[in-house]
Coordinates of all heavy atoms in Angstrom, one line a residue:
M712 N 3.9 -0.2 -19.8 CA 3.1 -0.9 -18.8 C 3.9 -1.3 -17.6 O 5.1 -1.7 -17.8 CB 2.4 -2.0 -19.5 CG 2.8 -3.4 -19.3 SD 1.7 -4.6 -20.0 CE 1.6 -4.1 -21.7
S713 N 3.4 -1.3 -16.5 CA 4.1 -1.8 -15.4 C 4.1 -3.3 -15.4 O 3.2 -3.9 -16.1 CB 3.6 -1.2 -14.1 OG 2.7 -2.1 -13.4
L714 N 4.9 -3.9 -14.6 CA 4.9 -5.4 -14.5 C 4.2 -5.8 -13.2 O 4.0 -4.9 -12.3 CB 6.3 -5.9 -14.5 CG 7.2 -5.6 -15.7 CD1 8.5 -6.3 -15.6 CD2 6.4 -5.9 -17.0
M715 N 3.8 -7.0 -13.1 CA 3.2 -7.5 -11.8 C 3.8 -8.9 -11.5 O 4.3 -9.6 -12.4 CB 1.7 -7.6 -12.0 CG 1.3 -8.6 -13.1 SD -0.5 -8.7 -13.3 CE -0.8 -9.9 -11.9
I716 N 3.6 -9.3 -10.2 CA 4.1 -10.5 -9.8 C 3.0 -11.5 -9.5 O 2.0 -11.1 -8.8 CB 5.0 -10.3 -8.5 CG1 6.2 -9.5 -8.8 CG2 5.4 -11.7 -7.9 CD1 7.0 -9.1 -7.6
T717 N 3.0 -12.7 -10.1 CA 1.9 -13.6 -9.9 C 2.1 -14.4 -8.7 O 3.1 -14.4 -8.0 CB 1.9 -14.6 -11.1 OG1 3.0 -15.5 -11.0 CG2 1.9 -13.9 -12.5
D718 N 1.1 -15.2 -8.3 CA 1.1 -16.0 -7.1 C 2.1 -17.2 -7.2 O 2.1 -17.9 -6.2 CB -0.3 -16.4 -6.6 CG -1.0 -17.2 -7.7 OD1 -0.4 -17.7 -8.6 OD2 -2.2 -17.4 -7.5
E719 N 2.8 -17.3 -8.3 CA 3.8 -18.3 -8.3 C 5.1 -17.9 -7.6 O 6.1 -18.6 -7.5 CB 4.1 -18.7 -9.8 CG 3.0 -19.5 -10.4 CD 3.1 -19.6 -11.9 OE1 4.3 -19.8 -12.4 OE2 2.1 -19.6 -12.6
C720 N 5.2 -16.6 -7.2 CA 6.3 -16.1 -6.5 C 6.7 -16.9 -5.3 O 5.8 -17.3 -4.5 CB 6.0 -14.6 -6.1 SG 7.3 -13.9 -5.0
I721 N 8.0 -17.2 -5.1 CA 8.4 -18.0 -4.0 C 9.1 -17.1 -2.9 O 9.7 -17.6 -2.0 CB 9.4 -19.1 -4.4 CG1 10.6 -18.5 -5.2 CG2 8.6 -20.2 -5.3 CD1 11.7 -19.6 -5.4
A722 N 8.9 -15.8 -3.1 CA 9.5 -14.8 -2.1 C 11.0 -15.0 -1.8 O 11.4 -15.1 -0.7 CB 8.7 -14.9 -0.8
C723 N 11.7 -15.2 -2.9 CA 13.2 -15.5 -2.8 C 14.0 -14.2 -2.6 O 15.2 -14.3 -2.2 CB 13.7 -16.2 -4.0 SG 13.7 -15.2 -5.5
D724 N 13.4 -13.1 -2.8 CA 14.1 -11.8 -2.6 C 15.1 -11.4 -3.7 O 15.9 -10.5 -3.5 CB 14.7 -11.7 -1.2 CG 14.9 -10.3 -0.7 OD1 14.0 -9.5 -0.9 OD2 16.0 -10.0 -0.2
A725 N 15.2 -12.2 -4.7 CA 16.2 -11.9 -5.7 C 16.0 -10.7 -6.5 O 16.9 -10.0 -6.9 CB 16.3 -13.1 -6.7
C726 N 14.7 -10.3 -6.7 CA 14.4 -9.2 -7.5 C 14.5 -7.8 -6.9 O 14.7 -6.8 -7.5 CB 13.0 -9.4 -8.1 SG 11.7 -9.5 -6.8
R727 N 14.2 -7.8 -5.6 CA 14.0 -6.4 -5.0 C 15.2 -5.5 -5.2 O 15.0 -4.3 -5.5 CB 13.7 -6.6 -3.5 CG 13.2 -5.4 -2.8 CD 12.7 -5.6 -1.4 NE 13.6 -6.4 -0.7 CZ 13.6 -6.5 0.7 NH1 12.7 -5.9 1.3 NH2 14.4 -7.3 1.3
D728 N 16.4 -6.0 -4.9 CA 17.5 -5.1 -5.0 C 17.9 -4.8 -6.5 O 18.8 -4.0 -6.7 CB 18.7 -5.8 -4.3 CG 18.6 -5.7 -2.8 OD1 17.7 -4.9 -2.3 OD2 19.4 -6.3 -2.1
E729 N 17.3 -5.5 -7.4 CA 17.6 -5.3 -8.8 C 16.8 -4.2 -9.4 O 17.1 -3.7 -10.5 CB 17.3 -6.6 -9.6 CG 18.2 -7.8 -9.2 CD 19.7 -7.5 -9.5 OE1 20.0 -6.9 -10.5 OE2 20.5 -8.0 -8.6
C730 N 15.8 -3.7 -8.7 CA 14.9 -2.7 -9.3 C 15.5 -1.3 -9.1 O 15.7 -0.8 -8.0 CB 13.5 -2.7 -8.6 SG 12.4 -1.5 -9.3
P731 N 15.8 -0.6 -10.2 CA 16.4 0.7 -10.1 C 15.5 1.8 -9.6 O 15.9 2.9 -9.2 CB 16.8 1.0 -11.6 CG 15.8 0.2 -12.4 CD 15.6 -1.0 -11.6
N732 N 14.2 1.5 -9.6 CA 13.2 2.4 -9.1 C 12.7 2.1 -7.7 O 11.8 2.8 -7.2 CB 12.0 2.5 -10.1 CG 12.4 3.0 -11.4 OD1 13.2 3.9 -11.5 ND2 11.7 2.6 -12.5
Y733 N 13.2 1.1 -7.1 CA 12.7 0.6 -5.8 C 11.2 0.4 -5.8 O 10.5 0.8 -4.9 CB 13.1 1.7 -4.7 CG 14.6 2.0 -4.7 CD1 15.0 3.2 -5.2 CD2 15.5 1.1 -4.1 CE1 16.4 3.4 -5.2 CE2 16.8 1.4 -4.1 CZ 17.3 2.5 -4.7 OH 18.6 2.8 -4.7
A734 N 10.7 -0.3 -6.8 CA 9.3 -0.5 -7.0 C 8.8 -1.8 -6.4 O 7.6 -2.0 -6.3 CB 8.9 -0.4 -8.5
I735 N 9.8 -2.7 -6.0 CA 9.4 -4.0 -5.5 C 9.4 -4.0 -4.0 O 10.4 -3.7 -3.4 CB 10.3 -5.1 -6.1 CG1 10.3 -5.0 -7.6 CG2 9.9 -6.5 -5.7 CD1 11.3 -5.9 -8.3
E736 N 8.4 -4.5 -3.4 CA 8.3 -4.6 -2.0 C 8.0 -6.1 -1.5 O 7.3 -6.8 -2.2 CB 7.1 -3.8 -1.4 CG 7.4 -2.3 -1.4 CD 6.2 -1.6 -0.8 OE1 5.6 -2.1 0.1 OE2 5.8 -0.5 -1.4
E737 N 8.6 -6.4 -0.4 CA 8.3 -7.7 0.2 C 6.9 -7.6 0.8 O 6.5 -6.6 1.4 CB 9.3 -8.0 1.4 CG 9.1 -9.3 2.0 CD 10.1 -9.5 3.1 OE1 10.9 -8.6 3.4 OE2 10.0 -10.6 3.8
S738 N 6.1 -8.7 0.5 CA 4.7 -8.7 1.1 C 4.4 -10.1 1.4 O 5.2 -11.0 1.2 CB 3.7 -8.1 0.1 OG 2.5 -7.9 0.7
D739 N 3.3 -10.4 2.0 CA 2.9 -11.7 2.4 C 1.7 -12.2 1.7 O 0.6 -11.5 1.8 CB 2.7 -11.7 3.9 CG 2.4 -13.1 4.5 OD1 2.8 -14.1 3.8 OD2 1.9 -13.2 5.6
P740 N 1.7 -13.3 0.9 CA 2.8 -14.2 0.8 C 3.8 -14.0 -0.3 O 4.8 -14.6 -0.4 CB 2.1 -15.6 0.6 CG 0.9 -15.2 -0.2 CD 0.5 -13.8 0.3
I741 N 3.4 -13.1 -1.2 CA 4.3 -12.8 -2.4 C 4.7 -11.4 -2.4 O 4.2 -10.5 -1.8 CB 3.5 -13.2 -3.7 CG1 2.3 -12.2 -3.9 CG2 3.1 -14.7 -3.7 CD1 1.7 -12.4 -5.3
Y742 N 5.8 -11.1 -3.2 CA 6.3 -9.8 -3.4 C 5.3 -9.0 -4.3 O 4.6 -9.6 -5.1 CB 7.7 -9.8 -4.0 CG 8.8 -10.1 -3.0 CD1 8.6 -11.1 -2.0 CD2 9.9 -9.3 -3.0 CE1 9.6 -11.3 -1.0 CE2 10.9 -9.6 -2.0 CZ 10.7 -10.5 -1.1 OH 11.7 -10.7 -0.1
I743 N 5.4 -7.7 -4.2 CA 4.5 -6.9 -5.1 C 5.3 -5.8 -5.7 O 6.3 -5.3 -5.2 CB 3.3 -6.3 -4.2 CG1 3.9 -5.5 -3.0 CG2 2.3 -7.3 -3.8 CD1 2.8 -4.8 -2.2
I744 N 4.8 -5.3 -6.9 CA 5.4 -4.2 -7.7 C 4.4 -3.1 -7.6 O 3.2 -3.2 -7.9 CB 5.6 -4.7 -9.1 CG1 6.7 -5.7 -9.2 CG2 6.0 -3.4 -10.0 CD1 7.0 -6.3 -10.6
D745 N 4.9 -1.9 -7.3 CA 4.1 -0.7 -7.2 C 3.9 -0.2 -8.7 O 4.9 0.3 -9.3 CB 4.8 0.4 -6.4 CG 3.9 1.6 -6.2 OD1 3.0 1.8 -7.1 OD2 4.1 2.4 -5.3
P746 N 2.7 -0.2 -9.3 CA 2.5 0.2 -10.7 C 2.8 1.7 -10.9 O 3.0 2.1 -12.0 CB 1.1 -0.2 -11.0 CG 0.4 -0.2 -9.6 CD 1.5 -0.7 -8.6
D747 N 2.8 2.5 -9.9 CA 3.0 3.9 -10.0 C 4.5 4.2 -10.2 O 4.9 5.3 -10.5 CB 2.5 4.7 -8.8 CG 0.9 4.6 -8.8 OD1 0.3 4.4 -9.9 OD2 0.4 4.7 -7.7
I748 N 5.3 3.2 -9.9 CA 6.8 3.4 -9.9 C 7.5 2.6 -10.9 O 8.5 3.0 -11.5 CB 7.4 3.1 -8.5 CG1 6.7 4.0 -7.4 CG2 8.9 3.4 -8.5 CD1 7.1 3.7 -6.0
C749 N 7.0 1.4 -11.2 CA 7.6 0.5 -12.2 C 7.6 1.2 -13.6 O 6.5 1.5 -14.1 CB 7.0 -0.8 -12.2 SG 7.6 -1.9 -13.6
T750 N 8.7 1.3 -14.2 CA 8.8 1.9 -15.6 C 9.1 0.8 -16.6 O 9.4 1.1 -17.7 CB 9.8 2.9 -15.7 OG1 11.1 2.4 -15.4 CG2 9.6 4.1 -14.8
E751 N 9.0 -0.5 -16.2 CA 9.5 -1.6 -17.0 C 11.0 -1.5 -17.3 O 11.5 -1.9 -18.3 CB 8.7 -1.7 -18.3 CG 8.4 -3.1 -18.7 CD 7.5 -3.2 -19.9 OE1 6.5 -2.4 -20.0 OE2 7.8 -4.0 -20.8
C752 N 11.6 -0.7 -16.4 CA 13.1 -0.4 -16.5 C 13.4 0.6 -17.6 O 14.6 0.8 -17.8 CB 13.9 -1.7 -16.6 SG 14.2 -2.5 -15.0
V753 N 12.4 1.1 -18.2 CA 12.7 2.2 -19.2 C 13.4 3.4 -18.5 O 13.0 3.8 -17.5 CB 11.3 2.7 -19.9 CG1 11.5 4.0 -20.6 CG2 10.8 1.6 -20.7
G754 N 14.4 3.8 -19.2 CA 15.3 4.9 -18.6 C 16.5 4.4 -17.9 O 17.5 5.1 -17.7
H755 N 16.5 3.1 -17.5 CA 17.6 2.5 -16.8 C 18.3 1.4 -17.6 O 19.5 1.5 -17.9 CB 17.2 1.9 -15.5 CG 16.8 3.0 -14.4 ND1 17.8 3.7 -13.7 CD2 15.6 3.4 -14.0 CE1 17.1 4.5 -12.9 NE2 15.8 4.3 -13.0
Y756 N 17.5 0.5 -18.1 CA 18.0 -0.7 -18.8 C 17.2 -1.0 -20.0 O 16.0 -0.5 -20.2 CB 18.0 -1.9 -17.9 CG 18.6 -1.7 -16.5 CD1 17.9 -1.9 -15.3 CD2 19.9 -1.3 -16.4 CE1 18.5 -1.7 -14.1 CE2 20.5 -1.1 -15.2 CZ 19.8 -1.4 -14.0 OH 20.4 -1.2 -12.8
D757 N 17.7 -1.8 -20.9 CA 17.0 -2.2 -22.1 C 15.9 -3.3 -21.8 O 15.0 -3.4 -22.6 CB 18.0 -2.8 -23.1 CG 18.9 -1.8 -23.7 OD1 18.6 -0.6 -23.6 OD2 20.0 -2.1 -24.2
E758 N 16.1 -4.0 -20.8 CA 15.2 -5.1 -20.4 C 14.8 -5.0 -18.9 O 15.6 -4.5 -18.1 CB 15.8 -6.5 -20.7 CG 16.2 -6.7 -22.1 CD 15.0 -6.9 -23.0 OE1 13.9 -7.2 -22.6 OE2 15.2 -6.7 -24.2
P759 N 13.6 -5.4 -18.5 CA 13.3 -5.4 -17.1 C 14.3 -6.3 -16.3 O 14.4 -7.5 -16.5 CB 11.9 -6.0 -17.0 CG 11.3 -5.7 -18.4 CD 12.5 -5.9 -19.3
S760 N 15.0 -5.6 -15.4 CA 16.0 -6.4 -14.6 C 15.4 -7.4 -13.7 O 16.1 -8.4 -13.4 CB 17.0 -5.4 -13.9 OG 16.2 -4.6 -13.0
C761 N 14.2 -7.2 -13.2 CA 13.6 -8.1 -12.2 C 13.3 -9.4 -12.9 O 13.5 -10.5 -12.4 CB 12.4 -7.5 -11.6 SG 11.1 -7.0 -12.8
I762 N 12.8 -9.4 -14.2 CA 12.5 -10.6 -14.9 C 13.8 -11.4 -15.1 O 13.8 -12.6 -15.0 CB 11.9 -10.3 -16.3 CG1 10.5 -9.7 -16.1 CG2 11.9 -11.5 -17.2 CD1 9.8 -9.3 -17.4
A763 N 14.9 -10.7 -15.4 CA 16.2 -11.5 -15.6 C 16.6 -12.3 -14.4 O 17.3 -13.3 -14.6 CB 17.2 -10.4 -16.0
V764 N 16.3 -11.9 -13.2 CA 16.8 -12.6 -12.1 C 15.8 -13.5 -11.4 O 16.1 -14.3 -10.6 CB 17.3 -11.6 -11.0 CG1 18.5 -10.8 -11.5 CG2 16.2 -10.8 -10.4
C765 N 14.5 -13.4 -11.8 CA 13.5 -14.2 -11.2 C 13.6 -15.7 -11.5 O 13.5 -16.1 -12.7 CB 12.1 -13.7 -11.5 SG 10.8 -14.7 -10.7
P766 N 13.8 -16.6 -10.6 CA 14.1 -18.0 -10.9 C 12.8 -18.8 -11.3 O 12.9 -19.9 -11.9 CB 14.6 -18.6 -9.6 CG 14.0 -17.7 -8.5 CD 13.9 -16.3 -9.1
V767 N 11.6 -18.2 -11.0 CA 10.4 -19.0 -11.4 C 9.6 -18.3 -12.5 O 8.4 -18.7 -12.7 CB 9.6 -19.2 -10.1 CG1 10.3 -20.2 -9.2 CG2 9.2 -17.9 -9.4
E768 N 10.1 -17.2 -13.0 CA 9.5 -16.5 -14.1 C 8.0 -16.1 -13.8 O 7.1 -16.3 -14.6 CB 9.5 -17.3 -15.4 CG 11.0 -17.6 -15.8 CD 11.1 -18.4 -17.1 OE1 10.1 -18.7 -17.7 OE2 12.2 -18.7 -17.5
C769 N 7.9 -15.5 -12.6 CA 6.5 -15.1 -12.2 C 6.3 -13.6 -12.4 O 5.3 -13.1 -11.8 CB 6.3 -15.6 -10.8 SG 7.3 -14.7 -9.6
I770 N 7.2 -12.9 -13.1 CA 7.0 -11.4 -13.3 C 6.5 -11.2 -14.7 O 7.2 -11.6 -15.6 CB 8.2 -10.7 -13.0 CG1 8.8 -11.0 -11.6 CG2 8.0 -9.2 -13.1 CD1 10.1 -10.4 -11.2
V771 N 5.3 -10.7 -14.8 CA 4.7 -10.6 -16.1 C 4.1 -9.2 -16.4 O 3.9 -8.4 -15.4 CB 3.5 -11.6 -16.3 CG1 4.1 -13.0 -16.2 CG2 2.5 -11.4 -15.2
P772 N 3.8 -8.8 -17.6 CA 3.1 -7.5 -17.9 C 1.8 -7.5 -17.1 O 1.0 -8.4 -17.1 CB 2.9 -7.5 -19.4 CG 4.0 -8.4 -19.9 CD 4.1 -9.5 -18.8
D773 N 1.5 -6.3 -16.6 CA 0.2 -6.1 -15.9 C -0.9 -5.5 -16.8 O -0.8 -4.4 -17.2 CB 0.4 -5.1 -14.7 CG -0.8 -4.9 -13.9 OD1 -1.9 -5.4 -14.3 OD2 -0.7 -4.2 -12.8
P774 N -1.8 -6.3 -17.2 CA -2.8 -5.9 -18.2 C -3.7 -4.7 -17.7 O -4.3 -4.0 -18.5 CB -3.7 -7.1 -18.4 CG -3.5 -8.0 -17.2 CD -2.1 -7.7 -16.7
D775 N -3.7 -4.5 -16.4 CA -4.4 -3.3 -15.9 C -3.6 -2.0 -15.9 O -4.2 -1.0 -15.5 CB -4.9 -3.6 -14.4 CG -6.0 -4.7 -14.4 OD1 -6.7 -4.9 -15.4 OD2 -6.0 -5.4 -13.4
N776 N -2.4 -2.1 -16.2 CA -1.5 -0.9 -16.2 C -0.7 -0.8 -17.5 O 0.5 -0.8 -17.5 CB -0.6 -1.0 -15.0 CG -1.3 -0.6 -13.7 OD1 -1.8 0.5 -13.5 ND2 -1.5 -1.6 -12.9
V777 N -1.5 -0.7 -18.6 CA -0.8 -0.6 -19.9 C -0.4 0.8 -20.2 O -1.2 1.7 -20.0 CB -1.8 -1.1 -21.0 CG1 -1.2 -1.0 -22.4 CG2 -2.2 -2.6 -20.8
E778 N 0.8 1.0 -20.6 CA 1.3 2.4 -20.9 C 2.1 2.4 -22.2 O 2.8 1.4 -22.5 CB 2.2 2.9 -19.7 CG 1.4 3.1 -18.4 CD 2.3 3.1 -17.2 OE1 2.9 2.1 -16.9 OE2 2.4 4.2 -16.6
T779 N 2.2 3.5 -22.8 CA 3.0 3.6 -24.0 C 4.5 3.9 -23.6 O 4.7 4.2 -22.4 CB 2.6 4.8 -24.9 OG1 2.8 6.0 -24.1 CG2 1.1 4.7 -25.3
M780 N 5.4 3.8 -24.5 CA 6.8 4.1 -24.2 C 6.9 5.5 -23.8 O 7.7 5.8 -22.9 CB 7.6 3.8 -25.5 CG 9.1 4.1 -25.3 SD 9.8 3.0 -24.0 CE 9.9 1.4 -24.8
A781 N 6.2 6.5 -24.4 CA 6.2 7.9 -24.0 C 5.8 8.0 -22.5 O 6.4 8.8 -21.8 CB 5.4 8.7 -24.9
E782 N 4.7 7.3 -22.2 CA 4.3 7.4 -20.8 C 5.3 6.8 -19.8 O 5.5 7.3 -18.7 CB 2.9 6.7 -20.7 CG 1.8 7.5 -21.3 CD 0.5 6.6 -21.4 OE1 0.6 5.4 -21.6 OE2 -0.6 7.2 -21.3
L783 N 5.9 5.7 -20.2 CA 6.9 5.1 -19.3 C 8.1 6.1 -19.2 O 8.7 6.2 -18.1 CB 7.4 3.8 -19.9 CG 6.4 2.7 -19.8 CD1 6.9 1.5 -20.7 CD2 6.1 2.2 -18.4
K784 N 8.5 6.8 -20.2 CA 9.6 7.7 -20.1 C 9.3 8.9 -19.2 O 10.1 9.3 -18.4 CB 10.0 8.2 -21.5 CG 10.8 7.2 -22.3 CD 11.2 7.7 -23.7 CE 12.0 6.6 -24.4 NZ 12.2 7.0 -25.9
L785 N 8.0 9.3 -19.3 CA 7.6 10.4 -18.5 C 7.6 9.9 -17.0 O 8.0 10.7 -16.1 CB 6.2 10.9 -18.9 CG 5.5 12.0 -18.1 CD1 6.4 13.3 -18.2 CD2 4.1 12.3 -18.6
K786 N 7.1 8.7 -16.8 CA 7.1 8.2 -15.4 C 8.5 8.1 -14.9 O 8.8 8.4 -13.7 CB 6.4 6.8 -15.4 CG 6.0 6.3 -14.0 CD 5.9 4.8 -13.9 CE 4.6 4.4 -14.6 NZ 4.3 2.9 -14.3
F787 N 9.4 7.6 -15.7 CA 10.9 7.6 -15.3 C 11.4 8.9 -14.9 O 12.0 9.0 -13.8 CB 11.7 7.1 -16.5 CG 13.2 7.3 -16.3 CD1 13.9 6.5 -15.5 CD2 13.8 8.4 -17.0 CE1 15.3 6.7 -15.3 CE2 15.1 8.6 -16.8 CZ 15.9 7.8 -16.0
E788 N 11.0 9.9 -15.6 CA 11.5 11.3 -15.2 C 10.8 11.7 -13.9 O 11.5 12.3 -13.1 CB 11.2 12.3 -16.4 CG 12.0 12.0 -17.6 CD 11.5 12.8 -18.8 OE1 10.6 13.6 -18.7 OE2 12.1 12.5 -19.9
Q789 N 9.6 11.4 -13.8 CA 8.9 11.8 -12.5 C 9.4 11.1 -11.3 O 9.7 11.7 -10.3 CB 7.4 11.6 -12.7 CG 6.7 12.5 -13.7 CD 5.3 12.1 -14.0 OE1 4.9 11.0 -13.8 NE2 4.5 13.1 -14.4
V790 N 9.6 9.8 -11.5 CA 10.0 9.0 -10.3 C 11.5 9.4 -9.9 O 11.8 9.5 -8.7 CB 10.0 7.5 -10.7 CG1 10.8 6.6 -9.7 CG2 8.6 7.0 -10.8
N791 N 12.3 9.6 -10.9 CA 13.7 9.9 -10.6 C 14.0 11.3 -10.3 O 15.0 11.7 -9.7 CB 14.6 9.4 -11.7 CG 14.6 7.9 -11.8 OD1 15.4 7.3 -11.0 ND2 13.8 7.2 -12.5
S792 N 13.0 12.2 -10.5 CA 13.2 13.6 -10.1 C 12.8 13.8 -8.6 O 13.0 14.8 -8.0 CB 12.4 14.6 -11.0 OG 11.0 14.3 -10.7
E793 N 12.1 12.8 -8.1 CA 11.6 12.9 -6.7 C 12.6 12.4 -5.7 O 12.5 12.5 -4.5 CB 10.3 12.0 -6.5 CG 9.1 12.6 -7.3 CD 8.0 11.7 -7.3 OE1 8.0 10.6 -6.8 OE2 6.9 12.0 -7.9
E794 N 13.7 11.8 -6.2 CA 14.7 11.3 -5.3 C 15.6 12.4 -4.6 O 15.7 13.4 -5.2 CB 15.7 10.3 -6.0 CG 14.9 9.0 -6.4 CD 15.8 8.0 -7.1 OE1 17.0 8.4 -7.4 OE2 15.4 6.9 -7.4
Ligands
SF4_831 S1 10.6 -3.8 -14.5 FE1 12.3 -2.7 -13.7 S2 11.3 -0.9 -12.7 FE2 9.7 -2.5 -13.0 S3 9.7 -3.6 -11.1 FE3 11.1 -4.7 -12.5 S4 13.1 -3.9 -12.0 FE4 11.6 -2.5 -11.1
SF4_832 S1 12.6 -13.0 -7.9 FE1 10.6 -13.8 -8.5 S2 10.2 -15.4 -7.0 FE2 11.8 -14.1 -6.2 S3 10.8 -12.6 -4.9 FE3 11.0 -11.7 -6.9 S4 9.1 -12.2 -8.0 FE4 9.2 -13.6 -6.2

């Protein structure tokens, strides 16, 4: 499943450079995660790197974008083959 950013985001910019898939964008008033690109860090790290750096813990699983581990691995291969 991809992750999403809630409206508790303080737009601190800590997460954007941590995303290995470049899935996080600055937006107004809060940052956003592209669900087509976020793999929950599957393929890169054991844990979502954006959650680890967010000071207000506003990055959560997106219930509208639930995916299996196999789907996340496939997405990782697709996203990273396009680079
Ligand atoms: S979980 Fe990983 S891939 Fe998804 S937005 Fe966070 S850092 Fe990027
Ligand atoms: S680290 Fe958290 S508070 Fe900072 S921009 Fe990212 S989602 Fe928003």
Side-chain angles (χ1 to χ4, degrees):
M712 109 172 48
S713 96
L714 303 186
M715 59 177 282
I716 296 172
T717 73
D718 59 11
E719 290 170 35
C720 171
I721 57 171
C723 71
D724 202 44
C726 58
R727 189 170 49 163
D728 286 347
E729 297 298 321
C730 180
N732 293 328
Y733 305 103
I735 304 175
E736 286 182 39
E737 183 179 359
S738 192
D739 185 20
I741 64 172
Y742 278 45
I743 53 175
I744 292 175
D745 185 339
D747 293 333
I748 304 176
C749 173
T750 61
E751 217 175 316
C752 282
V753 167
H755 289 283
Y756 308 122
D757 292 337
E758 302 288 338
S760 59
C761 56
I762 289 179
V764 298
C765 180
V767 293
E768 300 183 1
C769 67
I770 305 175
V771 298
D773 181 353
D775 291 333
N776 285 293
V777 178
E778 294 160 294
T779 65
M780 182 59 73
E782 288 171 326
L783 288 171
K784 286 180 177 170
L785 182 61
K786 194 201 287 189
F787 164 77
E788 290 168 9
Q789 290 172 337
V790 167
N791 288 276
S792 67
E793 290 168 3
E794 289 182 353

